[in-house]
């Protein structure tokens, strides 16, 4: 006789488990507590036929207050007896207190979610899960189990390794992971509400572009590229312990020293606390602590080398630094593989998770970054760190907690917006910007506060731009107007105080410009979907140009930004498609040249498994536009501006000096805020017949973009093994 609680029991696997548990001979005499947001008619039938063996308790697993109330209701239902088995079919709880805890293993069932092409029927899956639950004992705590179904080799009942192996099956085929597909069906439609006359030739290009992005979003992805990472070669040997010289190198200097080091969540004192036992005797540390220290230290070293290499001109030194960086990446990956996420949460585990997420972000692997930051968020929530109320921090521990919370918040909001997924970290009770402990000697204080403020805006925007089908247009419009006001308030902070910083920091501000204007584009697009306005449409195009100009400026300075080789640049395609629509509608040569130069600079990364597909799309769209300019040159083609040997034209950065001998932008008087682009000129009168569907096509294309699912579909997004 056992007492069992099943979450998500209103339908599908959860409902079938309740049926089978209530009827199982070995469980008779126990109580089955069935939970769900609402009690479905099917569940009511099971309860009625159970002779009081099944009890329903309402529960929304996303509501922390509801979970707390559930405890008392379950105690009452059990009448003082213990809860023996918990089966989670709806979400995963941070903590459980039953004797045996079973997180429902992954299996593909013929349910509403799995579809009719799945492997197993729901009763088959439920029977296999129940057998595994009844056979589990204390030795199985902390393990992932695969179900066992005779005749199915993939359901063999064996332990599942963690982290998943590189060839594990992707689990991100849901709509929420398809940021680019959701965008790919989202960018060109808005223009359709902007009346214009375009020729049949332009309409033909629109139709071709729309067909191209739709086929990529809705059908099978093109053949995958060979998995080849251009960023890192796998080193032949990786040190077992961080070298002593590395540990010394990262020690903080005197308080008055100025270190141009990108801030992170590991304070100087926390670093010293980690480095000291590694210098003395590794045997003093248990394996879990050792690998967590290693991840934090190696990631800190990777960013340190990145920053130092920006000021080194010697190619030999740069090459040696790159090799060291590859070794540190491999060493960090090896320690990440040793993580056991089922251990009780603590601050060090959260710090190592955030370090892992930052490494994945640096390597251009957004899915893995999201995975680690989601686990960090759950541990933060389990320890109630998200309920910080006392500021400023009064101890070193509180400062470290504040640091992991705001870094987790930043990555969580940014990645959730990029991938169009719900955020993992609950709302904070204080502003995340107020959690930042400013370092007196750091030139990054202002920049850090800006990016955290932008992350807050992204979180508010995601609520109306991702999965908000039931939100009234007036609500979305009101939210966008508030966010525009916040963005305008941030703008003076982007413009002020850059000249006083070292050159490399000024380049980092350009990276923030790129994100700032890309976020502004998304705000405009969301607003236009609610209510079209020619003024907002024009501002959307202007900010898209500014974002692309900032991106291209960074592309032109690889020596100053040796780490700017992210093969999956956030928000690039959003601005790209906005400008692309304008090219088709107005035959704007300047916009065409800008996109052409960006594509040329991306070509060295075409073998990357993510960027290769995106680059193919961008090149295909560029080829659709090319005939307009090959024939007549188009509007804006004066024929008098010299083109650099590599195809680059000077980027019009306000206050930026250009060395025309080399056709590259200089930062001698750098203020990377772009001038207001000239207003859109009147549309040229079409010389051929006009199809009445042209506006509809332009609107459809404006709202279309390539899905992240298409880009990543043949790649395991949770692969965290060595590259």
């Amino acid at each position: 006789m056992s007492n069992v609680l099943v979450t998500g029991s209103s339908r599908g696997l959860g409902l079938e488990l309740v049926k089978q548990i209530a009827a199982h001979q070995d469980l008779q005499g126990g109580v089955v507590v069935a939970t769900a947001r609402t009690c479905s008619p099917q569940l009511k039938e099971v309860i009625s036929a159970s002779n009081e063996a099944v009890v329903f308790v309402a529960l929304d697993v996303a509501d922390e207050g509801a979970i707390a109330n559930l405890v008392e209701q379950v105690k009452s239902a059990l009448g003082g007896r213990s809860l023996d088995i918990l089966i989670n079919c709806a979400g995963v709880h941070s903590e459980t207190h039953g004797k045996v805890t079973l997180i429902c293993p992954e299996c593909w069932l013929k349910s509403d979610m799995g579809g009719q092409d799945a492997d197993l029927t729901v009763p088959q899956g439920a029977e296999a899960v129940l057998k595994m639950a009844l056979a589990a004992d204390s030795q199985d705590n902390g393990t992932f189990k695969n179900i066992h179904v005779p005749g199915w080799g993939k359901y063999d009942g064996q332990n599942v390794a963690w982290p998943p192996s590189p060839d594990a099956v992707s689990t991100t085929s849901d709509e929420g992971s398809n940021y680019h597909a959701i965008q790919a069906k989202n960018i060109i439609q808005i223009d359709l509400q902007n009346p214009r006359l375009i020729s049949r030739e332009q309409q033909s290009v629109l139709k071709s572009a729309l067909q191209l992005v739709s086929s990529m979003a809705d059908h099978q992805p093109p053949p995958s590229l060979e998995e080849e990472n251009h960023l890192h070669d796998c080193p032949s040997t990786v040190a077992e312990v961080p070298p002593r010289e590395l540990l010394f190198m990262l020690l903080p200097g005197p308080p008055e020293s100025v270190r141009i080091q990108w801030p992170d969540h590991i304070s100087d004192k926390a670093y010293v606390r980690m480095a000291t036992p590694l210098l003395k005797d590794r045997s003093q540390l248990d394996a879990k602590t050792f690998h967590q220290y290693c991840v934090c230290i190696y990631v800190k070293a990777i960013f340190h080398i990145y920053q130092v290499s920006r000021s080194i001109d010697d190619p030999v030194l740069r090459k040696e630094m790159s090799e060291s960086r590859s070794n540190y990446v491999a060493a960090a990956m090896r320690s990440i593989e040793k993580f056991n996420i089922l251990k009780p949460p603590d601050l060090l585990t959260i710090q190592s998770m955030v370090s892992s997420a930052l490494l994945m972000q640096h390597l251009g692997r957004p899915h893995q970054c999201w995975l680690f930051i989601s686990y960090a968020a759950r541990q933060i929530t389990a320890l109630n760190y998200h309920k910080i109320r006392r500021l400023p921090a009064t101890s070193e521990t509180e400062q470290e907690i504040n640091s992991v919370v705001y870094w987790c918040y930043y990555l969580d909001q940014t990645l959730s917006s990029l991938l169009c997924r719900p955020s993992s970290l609950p709302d904070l009770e204080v502003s995340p910007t107020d959690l930042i402990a400013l370092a007196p000697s750091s030139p990054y204080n202002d920049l850090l506060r800006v990016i955290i403020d932008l992350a807050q805006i992204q979180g508010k925007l995601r609520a109306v731009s991702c999965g908000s089908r039931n939100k009234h247009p007036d609500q979305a419009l009101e939210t966008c107007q508030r966010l525009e006001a916040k963005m305008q308030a941030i703008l003076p902070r982007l413009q002020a105080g850059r000249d006083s910083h070292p050159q490399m920091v000024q380049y980092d501000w350009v990276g923030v410009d790129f994100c700032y204007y890309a976020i502004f584009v998304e705000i405009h697009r969301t607003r236009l979907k609610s209510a079209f306005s020619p003024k907002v449409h024009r501002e959307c195009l202007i900010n898209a140009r500014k974002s692309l100009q900032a991106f291209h400026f960074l592309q032109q300075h690889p020596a100053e930004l040796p780490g700017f080789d992210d093969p999956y640049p956030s928000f690039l395609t959003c601005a790209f498609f906005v400008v692309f629509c304008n090219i088709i509608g107005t035959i704007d040569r300047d916009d065409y040249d800008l996109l052409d130069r960006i594509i040329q600079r991306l070509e060295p990364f075409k073998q990357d498994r993510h960027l290769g597909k995106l680059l193919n799309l961008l090149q295909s769209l560029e080829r659709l536009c090319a005939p307009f300019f090959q024939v007549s040159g188009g509007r804006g083609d004066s024929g008098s501006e010299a083109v650099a040997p590599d195809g680059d034209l000077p980027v019009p950065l306000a206050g930026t000096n250009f060395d025309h001998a080399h056709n590259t932008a200089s930062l001698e008087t750098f203020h990377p805020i772009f001038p207001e682009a000239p207003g859109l000129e009147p549309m040229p009168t079409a010389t051929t017949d006009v199809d009445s569907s042209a506006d509809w096509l332009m609107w459809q294309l404006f709202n279309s973009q390539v899905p992240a699912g298409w880009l990543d579909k043949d790649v395991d997004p949770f692969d965290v093994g060595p590259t």
Side-chain angles (χ1 to χ4, degrees):
M1 179 180 71
S2 297
N3 300 305
V4 186
L5 188 151
V6 182
T7 67
S9 57
S10 62
R11 60 175 182 163
L13 178 61
L15 177 64
E16 183 63 29
L17 279 167
V18 171
K19 290 180 184 178
Q20 294 195 17
I21 293 170
H24 199 282
Q25 179 176 342
D26 293 342
L27 296 173
Q28 288 180 1
V31 176
V32 183
V33 181
T35 75
R37 284 193 294 268
T38 58
C39 188
S40 66
Q42 296 87 345
L43 180 56
K44 289 179 180 178
E45 292 181 10
V46 174
I47 294 174
S48 299
S50 70
N51 194 23
E52 299 184 348
V54 179
V55 179
F56 174 74
V57 177
L59 170 65
D60 181 353
V61 295
D63 185 342
E64 189 174 344
I67 296 173
N69 293 333
L70 172 77
V71 174
E72 296 304 320
Q73 296 183 60
V74 171
K75 286 182 178 178
S76 176
L78 295 177
R81 293 172 295 178
S82 66
L83 177 63
D84 302 299
I85 301 175
L86 165 64
I87 303 181
N88 284 324
C89 291
V92 177
H93 292 281
S94 299
E95 295 180 274
T96 56
H97 299 285
K99 294 178 182 177
V100 179
T101 298
L102 172 67
I103 297 176
C104 219
E106 182 179 354
C107 47
W108 194 21
L109 305 181
K110 298 180 185 292
S111 62
D112 292 342
M113 296 181 65
Q116 293 307 303
D117 293 328
D119 298 333
L120 309 174
T121 64
V122 175
Q124 281 179 304
E127 181 182 2
V129 170
L130 186 55
K131 286 181 179 179
M132 184 170 60
L134 295 177
D137 56 29
S138 60
Q139 299 299 316
D140 295 304
N141 283 335
T143 63
F144 281 92
K145 291 284 188 179
N146 188 10
I147 64 172
H148 178 239
V149 180
W152 287 91
K154 63 192 295 186
Y155 303 123
D156 56 9
Q158 300 301 308
N159 285 355
V160 178
W162 181 263
S165 62
D167 57 350
V169 177
S170 170
T171 60
T172 59
S173 59
D174 57 284
E175 183 184 55
S177 69
N178 292 342
Y179 167 78
H180 284 292
I182 293 168
Q183 296 283 349
K185 289 198 153 200
N186 267 318
I187 276 198
I188 301 176
Q189 286 182 345
I190 291 177
D191 263 84
L192 295 175
Q193 289 189 11
N194 180 25
R196 61 175 73 225
L197 297 178
I198 62 175
S199 68
R200 288 193 179 278
E201 185 180 5
Q202 289 166 280
Q203 292 176 44
S204 176
V205 173
L206 281 175
K207 292 176 181 177
S208 297
L210 189 58
Q211 182 179 11
L212 179 63
V213 296
S214 297
S215 65
M216 291 177 174
D218 299 334
H219 301 292
Q220 291 297 320
S224 62
L225 300 173
E226 291 186 8
E227 198 166 305
E228 180 178 339
N229 196 319
H230 66 280
L231 290 173
H232 314 289
D233 296 321
C234 186
S236 56
T237 58
V238 178
E240 287 294 326
V241 182
R244 296 173 63 84
E245 292 76 12
L246 169 62
L247 298 174
F248 295 143
M249 175 184 72
L250 297 177
L251 288 171
E256 66 276 6
S257 64
V258 177
R259 292 190 300 161
I260 306 178
Q261 183 66 48
W262 184 256
D264 63 17
H265 59 294
I266 305 296
S267 67
D268 289 342
K269 290 184 178 180
Y271 170 76
V272 171
R273 188 173 66 248
M274 295 176 184
T276 300
L278 293 178
L279 285 167
K280 293 174 63 178
D281 185 5
R282 171 192 168 179
S283 62
Q284 297 177 357
L285 299 173
D286 61 82
K288 171 177 174 283
T289 302
F290 170 75
H291 288 294
Q292 289 175 338
Y293 281 177
C294 285
V295 169
C296 294
I297 288 172
Y298 278 126
V299 171
K300 202 173 186 71
I302 290 164
F303 284 103
H304 178 81
I305 287 181
Y306 160 69
Q307 202 76 340
V308 171
S309 64
R310 299 172 70 181
S311 59
I312 301 297
D313 295 327
D314 188 279
V316 176
L317 284 178
R318 278 181 175 268
K319 182 176 182 297
E320 293 299 321
M321 286 183 175
S322 178
E323 291 182 2
S324 292
R325 175 175 173 269
S326 294
N327 276 295
Y328 297 157
V329 168
M333 289 291 194
R334 181 187 59 198
S335 287
I336 287 172
E337 289 183 331
K338 306 296 184 181
F339 280 2
N340 184 349
I341 63 168
L342 298 181
K343 293 290 186 180
D346 56 39
L347 178 57
L348 176 58
T349 300
I350 298 170
Q351 289 173 324
S352 58
M353 289 286 183
V354 174
S355 288
S356 301
L358 288 171
L359 175 60
M360 297 304 164
Q361 182 196 41
H362 184 66
L363 299 179
R365 301 168 74 170
H367 287 288
Q368 295 93 326
C369 182
W370 177 85
L371 176 68
F372 281 114
I373 214 62
S374 66
Y375 281 125
R378 282 163 173 78
Q379 296 221 1
I380 287 172
T381 305
L383 295 172
N384 283 328
Y385 288 167
H386 64 297
K387 293 185 176 180
I388 296 170
R389 297 185 182 91
R390 183 172 59 191
L391 292 174
T394 58
S395 67
E396 292 178 13
T397 300
E398 286 187 3
Q399 290 178 355
E400 291 183 36
I401 291 172
N402 290 356
S403 292
V404 294
V405 169
Y406 79 73
W407 273 105
C408 182
Y409 179 90
Y410 160 68
L411 290 171
D412 183 38
Q413 296 297 336
T414 301
L415 286 164
S416 297
S417 297
L418 176 65
L419 302 174
C420 208
R421 294 173 174 172
S423 59
S424 300
L425 189 66
D427 291 337
L428 305 181
E429 298 192 8
V430 297
S431 169
T433 310
D434 294 338
L435 298 176
I436 301 174
L438 300 179
S441 62
S442 174
Y444 285 111
N445 288 335
D446 294 336
L447 186 147
L448 187 57
R449 295 179 70 88
V450 166
I451 66 171
I452 300 297
D453 285 341
L454 289 176
Q456 295 181 69
I457 291 175
Q458 287 178 275
K460 299 294 184 184
L461 178 61
R462 186 188 65 255
V464 296
S465 62
C466 294
S468 57
R469 296 168 185 163
N470 297 325
K471 189 175 286 292
H472 194 277
D474 289 344
Q475 292 178 288
L477 180 61
E478 182 181 348
T479 299
C480 289
Q481 289 172 332
R482 289 199 305 268
L483 296 181
E484 286 179 21
K486 292 181 181 292
M487 293 290 284
Q488 293 293 351
I490 291 175
L491 184 59
R493 295 158 59 192
L494 283 179
Q495 297 170 315
R498 298 192 184 193
D499 292 341
S500 61
H501 292 312
Q503 187 178 79
M504 71 172 65
V505 180
Q506 295 182 33
Y507 283 113
D508 293 327
W509 274 100
V510 184
V512 177
D513 289 334
F514 165 59
C515 294
Y516 172 87
Y517 289 112
I519 293 169
F520 226 145
V521 168
E522 189 61 30
I523 293 174
H524 290 321
R525 288 187 53 249
T526 303
R527 180 173 174 178
L528 288 169
K529 285 186 286 186
S530 301
F532 184 83
S533 162
K535 179 178 181 294
V536 175
H537 182 269
R538 174 180 175 273
E539 291 174 351
C540 182
L541 174 61
I542 290 171
N543 284 310
R545 285 177 179 145
K546 291 178 179 180
S547 181
L548 292 181
Q549 287 169 345
F551 182 77
H552 182 53
F553 180 87
L554 297 175
Q555 284 184 307
Q556 290 177 280
H557 296 82
E560 291 83 358
L561 289 157
F564 193 78
D565 50 8
D566 180 355
Y568 200 103
S570 305
F571 310 112
L572 171 62
T573 48
C574 182
F576 190 101
F577 270 76
V578 170
V579 175
F580 171 76
C581 288
N582 187 61
I583 294 172
I584 296 180
T586 65
I587 319 298
D588 191 305
R589 180 58 185 258
D590 291 336
D591 283 349
Y592 176 78
D593 287 338
L594 175 61
L595 298 192
D596 178 67
R597 296 194 299 273
I598 288 175
I599 290 172
Q600 289 186 40
R601 292 279 184 173
L602 290 174
E603 284 186 351
F605 308 111
K606 63 184 178 182
Q607 295 303 317
D608 180 88
R609 57 184 180 175
H610 297 297
L611 186 59
K613 297 176 184 178
L614 180 59
L615 183 59
N616 286 339
L617 170 69
L618 302 185
Q619 290 173 329
S620 299
L621 294 175
E622 182 186 30
R623 285 194 292 270
L624 291 175
C625 297
F628 294 125
F629 304 102
Q630 293 170 353
V631 174
S632 62
R635 184 164 55 86
D637 182 16
S638 63
S640 61
E641 187 161 17
V643 180
D646 64 353
D648 280 325
L649 296 174
V651 180
L653 299 178
T656 303
N657 290 335
F658 286 94
D659 178 359
H660 287 284
H662 299 91
N663 275 311
T664 56
S666 165
L667 274 168
E668 293 175 4
T669 58
F670 181 59
H671 299 279
I673 298 298
F674 307 95
E676 287 300 311
L680 299 181
E681 300 177 19
M683 299 301 113
T685 302
T687 56
T688 60
D689 295 337
V690 175
D691 187 334
S692 60
S693 66
D695 282 348
W696 181 88
L697 283 169
M698 192 62 105
W699 178 268
Q700 188 74 29
L701 192 55
F702 194 97
N703 277 307
S704 299
Q705 198 172 203
V706 182
W710 170 73
L711 291 173
D712 302 325
K713 200 164 186 178
D714 61 335
V715 177
D716 177 16
F718 300 131
D719 168 23
V720 295
T723 55

